[in-house]
Amino acid sequence: MKRLLLEVKGGGTAPAEIPRSGMLAIGSDPDRAGFVLTGQGVDDVHCAIGRTKDGTFAIKDLGSEYGTFLNGEKIAQARLSVGDEILLGSVRLLVVDGSDAPQTAATKSKKETNPNPKPAAKRKPKSPAPEIPGYEVAHRLGHGAMGDVYLAVQKSLDREVALKVLSKKHEQDQAFIRSFQAEARSAAALNHPNIVTVHDVGEHEGVHYLTMEYMDRESLEVRVVKEGALPWPIVLEALKDAASGLVYAESRGLVHRDIKPANLMQNHTGTTKIADLGLATSITEEDAGDDGQKILGTPHFISPEQIRGEKADCRSDLYSLGSTAYRLLTGQTPFQGTNTREILRSKLRDEPKPVRVLAKDVPEGLVAIVDRLMQRDPADRYPSASALLREIERLQSGATEGAAQAKPQGGLGKKLALPIVGALVLVIGGAAIFGGGDDEPQREDPTPDGGTGLVEGDGNTAPPPLLGDVGDEDPMPTGPADDDVAEKLFETNAENALLRLNQRDLGPEERRDELRTLAKEFLGTTAATQAIEEADRIDQEIREAVAQRSERDSAVASILKALNDAANVDAEDLNPGTSLSAMAAVPGLDAFAADDGFKAEYGALQGRVLAAALVQFGAAESAMLELQGAGDFEGLRAQLLLMIGRTELPAFEEGSAPTGAAEVVDYGVRWRARLDSLDSLAESFEVEQRIADKRAIGTELGAASGLVGELARLDFDAAVARFERLDTTLGSADARAWNAALGAKLRAATGALPILSNHWSSWRRTRVSDPRERRGALREVVSASATGIVLESGGGTEEIPWTAFGADTKALDLLFSKRLDREYTAEEAEAISAMMHFTALAECLQLAGEMFQPNSGAVFTESEAEALPMAFNAALEWATSPEERAALRRDREASELLGRALFRASEGEWTTAVAGLERLLAEYPETWLVRLLSDGSTVNLPE
């Protein structure tokens, strides 16, 4: 068999040999991994490699957070061969043939060094074990979110404990230390057989620690990593133990917030216990949610409501317990992803693969329990851990799932006892009570049992009246009586009246007034004295409360004024984070920490700050959209940076965020995302603007625009107006620059004809070729004006407009060539050159124009195709700059290609014709010829 090595790409770590027997665990934890790698995204125990039954090697992902990738694909398990590339987080490994490589300590066979290799070999801690008085440290067990965990012996009791030592980063955080110590002491008061017991918490020479019950079978996460999916009876028993622990947690008002396989520990008896109950707030790591805010918990097991930032309750722990059961039963986590964000998004959006698909032997009852625990809506889960525990017990006992529970029977809920004062009257004697003497027969007892006054039946039997209130047929005296019996009955009535009054739900003032009324009615009785004393005490409390309220109102008014000043709600550039922080810093707030009324006013003021900020944020959002629509991305960047700073809010205690805080945070999230994508937005805007500019140019200057006709008539003023109109619609800078350059050339062309009309007296030759005649006979010019020239005609004169020379470069060439008795100035030559270029274009397009008219039936001959580029020859003679000559040559080349394509079209060779036109558009998009033929949809602006 080949000897295979794992080689770390990039160097720095010696290669490791894949053992020929056993398994090689790979990860970042030196105490659990056989091949230790450090890098972003490498889990403590990330994956394992071992030999298969057929003698090859295979790799298996061990539930890592970011997954294991083989040759670019994410795998659960796969076979390995030489040349494969493995990606674990940021670390890349190559599988290489090590047959010829010398064996070193790093590559020595696992079989040679350890005949019984383990997935996670125990190693000594990298750092010295801590010295804690009263404890003897054996070795390190592992590393958690809080710090290192050691196995230690508590000397005084000679018992093994798990010693957790805070990491250095936590030791520097005094607020964390205080919270940790307080929560650890509270956790030490918890006592339940399914809760890992906290023994002690303390500090020695700057080292903060706590000791807990040592669970020698480690966690269920370690077990499932080693063994894969666990048998369902074992999972059900562990689920029962965990539910029992959560029942206790509910009774103490505790929410764990981080139930997961790693926090379910087992001891040597197989009992499962919940670890870190009461400590989860301090030691659970935080991850970022879709909105960017921090969430407490582990992504694979956290409940959806915790992801959304909502308040967690006992049902959140039940969801996490369901996800834990899913992991134990299937060996997989319910939701997968390459990073935390993907896992959390999947948990809020997707459904997990059914347990039944991954673990076919799990009974339906247990599948139903797990399904209900993992419901996304808390209302659809079990209402409490007690309800879950009962369901588990029914499943274990074989009871029918969902059996109706026995309903309580009808009848009285409780019995009434005789008042103590009634016993006194009873002792005095029945005769006095019932108003008769010794000779009067006693009233029969109406109750069957002769004692309580309660009758078995429908539960509606009224309780007997208090003794002394015997009814209308036997009235009792209402004031002091002469005889001893009547006096004692008067006392009894007073005591009963006071008892009834004390049972009523009254406000302080109403209770005081009722007590004073009772005292007047039963004046002289002990109950009356008690009523007066109680009324005076209540009255004193009312006066003190009024005084305190007045003092409180004065203090509140003062502090509210300071808070309003700090809030600065009316500021035009309100920064809610600054305002809320300034409010929190106002002196004297602690005195009202428990005052619900003040807290409500404080919260309302916070809400007004945020509401005012949101109004400004809305206006800023509109302004940003305007900047984006106008393409001002630098201005948009500055505005985003300014406004993002105003979305930073101070931290709030859980569940205490004021109204509007979430919306402010949402603005920050959206604006940060827009800032991150600003370059992409600018690029998209530029592309869209260029496309729009192309269409605008094609519409305003193309074949259907009328520009060719204007050029053919030498109406350069109309063409200039067209370019000025186009300039107002163009958005991109290069399109405006291009349009400005061509507009300037048109303005220059407007000065060509006035050269002749304004300098008629300087004409050297007064004979011109008549452009209206085919042969162009020479005729004598009598005069020239802004509109044209006057020729001799049959003994008279005839005016020919300048437009007669349009679209005829040959005629214009003859008209201007050596016409004056001097050389043309540079400005005049430039004007004539521009006019000749535009005239050549008009001539060429008029000659080819019929071929582009629908249903024209025109035919383009070969001679016409040859004549098409000739229009640019005369224009080339007048070019005044290399750039102008280059542009004319490009137009002439384009016209040659156009002529050949139109000729092939007339010959019916459509394939050749279409190919020629496509080449024309592709190779000469910047030429004026193509611009005047196109609608802009397939033309690129010149770079």
Side-chain angles (χ1 to χ4, degrees):
M1 175 184 293
K2 284 186 178 181
R3 177 166 166 254
L4 300 185
L5 300 180
L6 291 176
E7 186 177 274
V8 181
K9 295 189 70 173
T13 302
E17 181 176 355
I18 300 176
R20 302 188 186 188
S21 64
M23 295 185 69
L24 175 64
I26 305 174
S28 61
D29 189 342
D31 293 315
R32 298 169 62 195
F35 186 29
V36 180
L37 300 174
T38 57
Q40 182 68 30
V42 180
D43 280 14
D44 291 350
V45 181
H46 199 109
C47 64
I49 297 177
R51 188 177 176 184
T52 63
K53 292 180 180 180
D54 59 6
T56 60
F57 291 96
I59 182 171
K60 180 177 182 180
D61 183 78
L62 298 180
S64 61
E65 182 176 0
Y66 297 104
T68 298
F69 291 79
L70 180 64
N71 299 326
E73 293 185 2
K74 188 174 183 181
I75 54 97
Q77 61 183 33
R79 294 182 183 273
L80 285 179
S81 59
V82 173
D84 284 347
E85 182 180 88
I86 303 169
L87 177 63
L88 310 180
S90 61
V91 178
R92 293 182 183 273
L93 303 173
L94 279 181
V95 180
V96 300
D97 187 350
S99 301
D100 298 328
Q103 289 195 353
T104 65
T107 62
K108 198 171 184 180
S109 170
K110 294 285 181 178
K111 186 173 182 180
E112 297 174 15
T113 58
N114 184 1
N116 297 305
K118 298 179 181 178
K122 296 292 182 181
R123 299 184 182 180
K124 293 182 180 179
K126 292 182 179 180
S127 57
E131 295 183 2
I132 306 296
Y135 296 93
E136 180 180 346
V137 177
H139 58 81
R140 195 173 81 157
L141 296 173
H143 180 79
M146 186 169 57
D148 291 326
V149 184
Y150 298 88
L151 174 62
V153 175
Q154 186 177 2
K155 298 177 183 179
S156 60
L157 298 176
D158 192 28
R159 68 176 173 187
E160 290 184 323
V161 296
L163 173 66
K164 289 192 174 185
V165 178
L166 282 185
S167 63
K168 295 295 184 184
K169 68 175 182 179
H170 291 316
E171 289 178 359
Q172 307 305 317
D173 188 343
Q174 294 302 314
F176 177 89
I177 292 296
R178 288 192 296 271
S179 175
F180 162 72
Q181 290 176 339
E183 292 179 3
R185 291 189 179 99
S186 299
L190 304 177
N191 183 19
H192 189 272
N194 296 113
I195 304 292
V196 174
T197 303
V198 175
H199 296 313
D200 187 21
V201 61
E203 179 268 337
H204 175 64
E205 296 182 352
V207 177
H208 295 268
Y209 66 91
L210 65 80
T211 60
M212 307 175 74
E213 179 182 0
Y214 174 54
M215 305 297 289
D216 49 3
R217 285 194 180 178
E218 299 185 290
S219 70
L220 290 176
E221 176 62 26
V222 172
R223 184 169 179 182
V224 79
V225 167
K226 291 179 179 179
E227 303 175 17
L230 304 181
W232 71 263
I234 293 177
V235 177
L236 184 59
E237 187 64 28
L239 201 59
K240 177 182 178 182
D241 287 348
S244 179
L246 289 179
V247 169
Y248 176 75
E250 288 179 15
S251 71
R252 300 298 295 267
L254 295 175
V255 180
H256 191 291
R257 295 185 177 86
D258 196 26
I259 294 292
K260 57 186 177 183
N263 275 336
L264 296 185
M265 315 291 291
Q266 288 190 322
N267 60 16
H268 61 281
T269 66
T271 300
T272 300
K273 300 189 179 189
I274 301 174
D276 294 338
L277 179 62
L279 296 171
T281 301
S282 287
I283 70 174
T284 302
E285 294 179 340
E286 293 179 338
D287 282 291
D290 286 333
D291 56 13
Q293 61 184 171
K294 295 293 186 181
I295 57 175
L296 194 67
T298 303
H300 283 298
F301 304 99
I302 191 174
S303 66
E305 59 268 23
Q306 288 173 272
I307 298 173
R308 294 189 294 266
E310 300 168 4
K311 185 176 181 181
D313 59 20
C314 64
R315 296 171 298 176
S316 305
D317 284 347
L318 294 182
Y319 180 93
S320 299
L321 185 59
S323 299
T324 296
Y326 186 104
R327 164 84 167 132
L328 300 179
L329 289 169
T330 67
Q332 300 182 17
T333 53
F335 299 96
Q336 308 296 323
T338 58
N339 54 47
T340 297
R341 185 181 298 275
E342 286 187 9
I343 295 169
L344 299 181
R345 185 181 293 114
S346 178
K347 181 164 291 191
L348 293 175
R349 180 187 60 200
D350 305 329
E351 295 298 330
K353 186 176 293 185
V355 172
R356 170 70 60 226
V357 173
L358 301 174
K360 300 186 182 303
D361 64 330
V362 179
E364 289 297 335
L366 181 52
V367 170
I369 288 175
V370 176
D371 286 347
R372 184 172 178 184
L373 286 172
M374 292 181 62
Q375 290 298 306
R376 195 170 283 128
D377 187 347
D380 294 333
R381 302 172 203 150
Y382 292 100
S384 66
S386 299
L388 170 62
L389 184 59
R390 289 194 298 271
E391 194 72 16
I392 294 172
E393 289 172 344
R394 278 199 295 271
L395 181 60
Q396 285 184 320
S397 65
T400 303
E401 294 181 15
Q405 300 182 22
K407 296 182 179 179
Q409 298 297 319
L412 293 173
K414 57 182 179 177
K415 294 184 178 181
L416 299 176
L418 290 174
I420 296 175
V421 295
L424 174 64
V425 182
L426 193 61
V427 171
I428 296 174
I433 295 175
F434 298 114
D438 293 338
D439 297 331
E440 185 176 351
Q442 297 295 315
R443 184 179 302 171
E444 293 185 1
D445 189 347
T447 63
D449 60 4
T452 63
L454 299 179
V455 181
E456 296 289 338
D458 60 3
N460 295 321
T461 305
L466 294 170
L467 294 181
D469 295 343
V470 296
D472 294 337
E473 76 273 16
D474 198 7
M476 300 302 297
T478 59
D482 294 336
D483 60 327
D484 186 57
V485 172
E487 183 177 349
K488 290 180 178 179
L489 287 175
F490 187 63
E491 285 277 0
T492 299
N493 280 341
E495 291 178 5
N496 284 335
L498 182 59
L499 179 62
R500 285 194 296 271
L501 178 57
N502 287 337
Q503 292 173 342
R504 295 170 61 189
D505 184 16
L506 303 173
E509 291 87 353
E510 187 178 4
R511 180 173 176 76
R512 176 198 60 192
D513 296 342
E514 290 285 345
L515 286 168
R516 287 176 174 168
T517 300
L518 183 148
K520 291 179 181 178
E521 183 178 355
F522 295 98
L523 189 63
T525 63
T526 301
T529 302
Q530 294 174 349
I532 292 174
E533 292 175 352
E534 178 69 7
D536 290 343
R537 182 187 65 77
I538 293 174
D539 192 60
Q540 179 62 27
E541 290 177 351
I542 291 174
R543 287 196 298 272
E544 291 176 355
V546 170
Q548 291 175 357
R549 190 178 302 112
S550 176
E551 183 179 355
R552 178 258 181 206
D553 291 345
S554 176
V556 167
S558 175
I559 202 168
L560 283 177
K561 182 181 183 306
L563 286 171
N564 274 283
D565 293 340
N568 199 21
V569 176
D570 296 327
E572 294 182 359
D573 54 350
L574 181 62
N575 187 321
T578 301
S579 294
L580 295 180
S581 296
M583 289 172 59
V586 170
L589 292 181
D590 292 343
F592 300 95
D595 189 324
D596 291 338
F598 176 80
K599 287 193 292 186
E601 293 185 61
Y602 185 86
L605 181 55
Q606 287 180 310
R608 288 198 296 275
V609 169
L610 294 171
L614 288 173
V615 171
Q616 295 186 12
F617 287 2
E621 176 75 10
S622 299
M624 290 178 192
L625 292 176
E626 290 182 6
L627 290 172
Q628 183 172 331
D632 185 0
F633 289 94
E634 287 307 313
L636 177 57
R637 185 187 302 277
Q639 184 72 356
L640 283 169
L641 290 171
L642 174 66
M643 297 308 299
I644 286 172
R646 296 181 185 176
T647 63
E648 300 289 342
L649 299 181
F652 301 105
E653 295 182 2
E654 185 178 355
S656 66
T659 301
E663 289 84 348
V664 169
V665 172
D666 286 344
Y667 267 111
V669 171
R670 294 200 301 273
W671 286 342
R672 287 186 183 89
R674 190 178 301 171
L675 182 63
D676 291 341
S677 63
L678 201 58
D679 291 340
S680 176
L681 289 174
E683 183 177 349
S684 298
F685 178 86
E686 183 178 354
V687 171
E688 292 173 0
Q689 189 65 63
R690 287 171 65 85
I691 292 172
D693 288 346
K694 293 173 194 176
R695 290 175 179 163
I697 291 171
T699 300
E700 192 66 49
L701 308 181
S705 66
L707 176 62
V708 173
E710 293 166 356
L711 296 179
R713 295 189 301 272
L714 301 179
D715 189 359
F716 296 116
D717 289 330
V720 167
R722 181 182 297 276
F723 272 78
E724 290 175 348
R725 185 167 61 249
L726 175 62
D727 191 63
T728 63
T729 65
L730 297 178
S732 60
D734 57 350
R736 288 196 298 271
W738 176 85
N739 188 63
L742 271 296
K745 188 172 182 178
L746 269 172
R747 291 187 186 89
T750 61
L753 292 174
I755 295 173
L756 298 181
S757 61
N758 293 338
H759 298 87
W760 160 246
S761 61
S762 299
W763 282 29
R764 176 165 41 188
R765 293 181 298 108
T766 58
R767 293 171 66 82
V768 299
S769 176
D770 191 341
R772 298 172 299 176
E773 299 179 4
R774 184 175 180 84
R775 296 183 179 275
L778 292 176
R779 298 179 64 184
E780 188 70 25
V781 179
V782 176
S783 65
S785 67
T787 59
I789 57 177
V790 178
L791 302 177
E792 291 181 350
S793 176
T797 60
E798 179 184 9
E799 183 177 15
I800 301 176
W802 295 118
T803 56
F805 293 89
D808 190 343
T809 53
K810 184 177 180 181
L812 281 173
D813 177 56
L814 292 173
L815 180 64
F816 278 86
S817 181
K818 298 180 181 181
R819 181 60 58 183
L820 301 183
D821 59 2
R822 61 175 175 82
E823 297 294 329
Y824 291 113
T825 66
E827 182 178 356
E828 291 171 339
E830 183 179 350
I832 297 170
S833 174
M835 177 192 68
M836 292 296 290
H837 193 159
F838 289 122
T839 300
L841 287 166
E843 183 178 344
C844 178
L845 289 172
Q846 278 194 339
L847 185 60
E850 290 186 7
M851 294 297 295
F852 293 95
Q853 298 300 321
N855 304 319
S856 66
V859 175
F860 202 75
T861 67
E862 187 172 7
S863 61
E864 288 176 323
E866 293 173 352
L868 204 61
M870 300 299 292
F872 294 96
N873 291 339
L876 273 167
E877 295 296 327
W878 289 91
T880 59
S881 67
E883 293 79 13
E884 177 69 10
R885 279 190 287 275
L888 281 164
R889 289 193 186 100
R890 290 282 293 170
D891 272 323
R892 185 172 64 181
E893 292 171 7
S895 68
E896 290 174 352
L897 189 58
L898 175 64
R900 288 197 298 270
L902 294 179
F903 171 64
R904 295 301 178 189
S906 294
E907 293 293 309
E909 299 177 17
W910 294 107
T911 301
T912 304
V914 170
L917 291 174
E918 289 178 345
R919 180 184 170 194
L920 177 67
L921 293 173
E923 296 182 8
Y924 298 90
E926 87 289 356
T927 61
W928 267 84
L929 182 65
V930 172
R931 290 246 173 253
L932 297 180
L933 283 172
S934 172
D935 64 357
S937 61
T938 60
V939 179
N940 295 316
L941 286 175
E943 297 297 338

